[in-house]
């Protein structure tokens, strides 16, 4: 027994973890890595794994059951469509699409082909996230005043120079919509939406965005976004890639009967540790028995895609004044530290307020324009 025949597209960087995961599943006979596609070549792979430059070449000569796609954002839709039309199910890395129009087009392909499309929001398969969602639904935290998602991350120059699309809003006339909210800290927003039960495309009432940047890039590296869901819950996202030190992101639920903090990267609610399911294993189980639900089917990322669309159509991020930024390091290690950004993120989270509403100093330049 060799299990499902799996191909991985994009095997460098984060893609390497998908290759390792398939190898893990192969040990128990649940999957077999038959081929990879990457224009940069194959790297370290078993000798019997075929290597192709692109997915189209791979599918032309190789029969596969599942395609894992870990490629630049702007390539997600054409590659996922190619795989599904070839009869394969798909594990698609986040964000699934760069626009609402792309999301609707890909949803149509899922409906037409009947293939499964699981999106790589790993935190959605965490017992911590799902347990907290149940606690909220059961009223254990009382009336929910709001949910906040915070991220205080560090990204150096090498992060934005790792690929042509990194830090870009558009590339060669195609939407990319990279940025703190939509890519590196996307899990925080997606988890907050799941906790509120507002994952669908019609579950969002309004979205307000404030996008800023300290780095010499097109996209945002410091932003606040407020989502109001159809049930009336305010979800406040306050994130930066210009922190003093790299800390784990958190999602905080503010209830009348108490507050709960989800540290989704470590699968924690407060200090309590939970387990996490594997999204590829779940996809394989769903293939074997359609009664097994996917943790993150494409339609369950509609609410998040509404946020991507709001960022895509927003004005370009406002440059943060030099006086508020301290630079450290040289060359690829160079990075900006935004003055007191942690304090302002915490305050935005507590008050469920945008940076401009609490008077964060870098919002002054926006008010003057």
């Amino acid at each position: 027994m060799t299990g499902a025949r799996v191909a991985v597209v994009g095997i460098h960087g984060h893609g390497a973890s998908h290759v390792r995961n398939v190898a893990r599943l192969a040990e128990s006979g649940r999957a077999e890595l038959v081929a990879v596609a990457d224009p940069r070549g194959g790297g370290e792979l078993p000798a019997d794994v075929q290597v192709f430059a692109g997915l189209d070449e791979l599918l032309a000569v190789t029969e596969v059951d599942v395609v894992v796609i870990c490629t630049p954002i702007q390539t997600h839709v054409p590659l996922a469509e190619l795989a599904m039309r070839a009869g394969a199910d798909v594990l698609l890395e986040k964000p699934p699409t760069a626009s609402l129009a792309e999301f609707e087009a890909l949803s149509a392909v899922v409906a037409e082909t009947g293939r499964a499309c699981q999106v790589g929001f790993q935190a959605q398969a965490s017992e911590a996230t799902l347990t907290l969602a149940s606690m909220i639904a059961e009223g254990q935290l009382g009336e929910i005043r709001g949910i906040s998602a915070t991220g205080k991350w560090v990204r150096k120059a090498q992060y934005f120079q790792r690929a042509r699309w990194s830090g870009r809003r558009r590339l060669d006339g195609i939407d990319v919509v990279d940025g703190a909210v939509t890519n590196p800290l996307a899990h925080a927003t997606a988890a907050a939406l799941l906790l509120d039960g507002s994952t669908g495309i019609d579950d969002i009432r309004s979205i307000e965005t404030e996008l800023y940047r300290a780095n010499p890039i097109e996209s945002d590296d410091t932003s606040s976004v407020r989502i109001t869901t159809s049930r009336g819950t305010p979800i406040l996202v306050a994130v930066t890639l210009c922190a003093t030190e790299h800390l784990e992101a958190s999602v905080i639920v503010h209830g009348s009967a108490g507050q709960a903090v989800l540290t989704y990267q470590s699968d924690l609610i407060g200090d309590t540790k939970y387990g996490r399911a594997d999204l590829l294993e779940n996809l394989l189980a769903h293939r074997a028995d359609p009664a097994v639900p996917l943790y993150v089917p494409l339609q369950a990322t509609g609410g998040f895609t509404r946020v991507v669309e709001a960022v895509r159509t927003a004005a370009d991020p406002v440059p943060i004044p030099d006086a508020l930024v301290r630079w450290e390091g040289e060359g690829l290690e160079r990075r900006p530290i935004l003055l007191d950004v942690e304090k302002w993120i915490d305050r935005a989270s507590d008050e469920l307020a945008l940076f401009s509403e609490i008077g964060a100093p870098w919002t002054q330049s926006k008010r003057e324009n």
Side-chain angles (χ1 to χ4, degrees):
M1 177 180 175
T2 56
R5 293 169 60 84
V6 180
V8 179
V9 187
I11 63 168
H12 299 283
H14 183 54
S17 67
H18 287 293
V19 172
R20 292 191 296 270
N21 195 36
V22 178
R24 178 184 65 85
L25 295 172
E27 293 178 356
S28 58
R30 285 175 287 178
E32 177 189 7
L33 182 64
V34 296
V36 301
D38 196 302
R40 291 177 287 177
E44 296 183 7
L45 295 165
D48 59 346
V49 176
Q50 301 179 79
V51 180
F52 299 89
L55 180 59
D56 51 351
E57 299 173 24
L58 185 158
L59 293 173
V61 297
T62 309
E63 181 180 340
V64 297
D65 300 313
V66 174
V67 175
V68 180
I69 298 172
C70 188
T71 58
I73 299 166
Q74 69 273 21
T75 67
H76 285 183
V77 172
L79 290 175
E81 179 174 2
L82 186 63
M84 287 188 285
R85 292 199 183 283
D89 295 315
V90 170
L91 173 55
L92 179 63
E93 266 300 344
K94 58 78 189 168
T97 70
S99 69
L100 195 55
E102 284 190 344
F103 178 85
E104 292 170 344
L106 188 58
S107 297
V109 174
V110 171
E112 178 187 340
T113 62
R115 305 317 308 178
C117 182
Q118 173 111 289
V119 180
F121 281 114
Q122 301 99 318
Q124 315 296 69
S126 169
E127 290 178 19
T129 309
L130 298 174
T131 297
L132 183 51
S134 295
M135 290 170 59
I136 295 169
E138 293 167 2
Q140 294 185 33
L141 296 176
E143 183 178 349
I144 303 303
R145 180 171 67 88
I147 301 172
S148 52
T150 66
K152 304 164 188 175
W153 280 18
V154 170
R155 285 294 183 263
K156 299 176 181 179
Q158 60 189 355
Y159 176 80
F160 298 108
Q161 296 180 31
R162 73 191 193 282
R164 288 185 64 228
W165 61 271
S166 184
R168 301 293 294 269
R169 285 168 67 80
R170 292 178 64 81
L171 181 64
D172 301 328
I174 300 172
D175 288 320
V176 174
V177 202
D178 190 24
V181 173
T182 54
N183 192 10
L185 284 154
H187 294 287
T189 300
L193 289 167
L194 176 63
L195 293 179
D196 190 58
S198 299
T199 60
I201 198 169
D202 296 323
D203 293 333
I204 307 300
R205 181 184 300 170
S206 64
I207 302 172
E208 304 161 84
T209 63
E210 292 189 352
L211 311 178
Y212 301 89
R213 62 171 181 83
N215 285 280
I217 57 175
E218 288 182 357
S219 60
D220 60 295
D221 59 34
T222 302
S223 296
S224 58
V225 174
R226 185 164 52 212
I227 307 156
T228 303
T229 67
S230 297
R231 65 178 63 213
T233 307
I235 296 177
L236 193 287
V237 181
V239 296
T240 188
L241 303 180
C242 308
T244 307
E245 61 178 327
H246 191 92
L247 302 175
E248 287 200 47
S250 298
V251 180
I252 303 104
V253 182
H254 309 268
S256 61
Q259 179 174 286
V261 180
L262 169 69
T263 310
Y264 60 83
Q265 292 170 275
S266 297
D267 302 306
L268 295 170
I269 302 176
D271 295 325
T272 304
K273 177 78 172 177
Y274 292 81
R276 178 185 293 202
D278 179 75
L279 292 178
L280 180 54
E281 285 187 64
N282 173 237
L283 177 57
L284 296 178
H286 175 78
R287 282 177 50 83
D289 180 2
V292 175
L294 293 174
Y295 279 101
V296 200
L298 180 65
Q299 65 265 28
T301 65
F304 174 79
T305 302
R306 289 280 301 275
V307 177
V308 174
E309 180 72 2
V311 172
R312 184 186 75 86
T313 58
D316 289 344
V318 176
I320 293 173
D322 293 341
L324 299 176
V325 180
R326 174 169 59 86
W327 289 86
E328 284 191 354
E330 300 294 335
L332 294 178
E333 294 294 306
R334 185 169 166 80
R335 69 181 183 96
I337 299 173
L338 179 53
L339 182 67
D340 292 332
V341 67
E342 293 85 358
K343 178 189 76 174
W344 293 105
I345 286 176
D346 289 342
R347 186 173 164 190
S349 170
D350 291 341
E351 299 183 25
L352 299 170
L354 297 169
F355 285 145
S356 65
E357 293 173 339
I358 56 176
W362 56 85
T363 67
Q364 183 64 36
S365 58
K366 183 175 182 178
R367 293 194 295 270
E368 291 174 349
N369 288 340

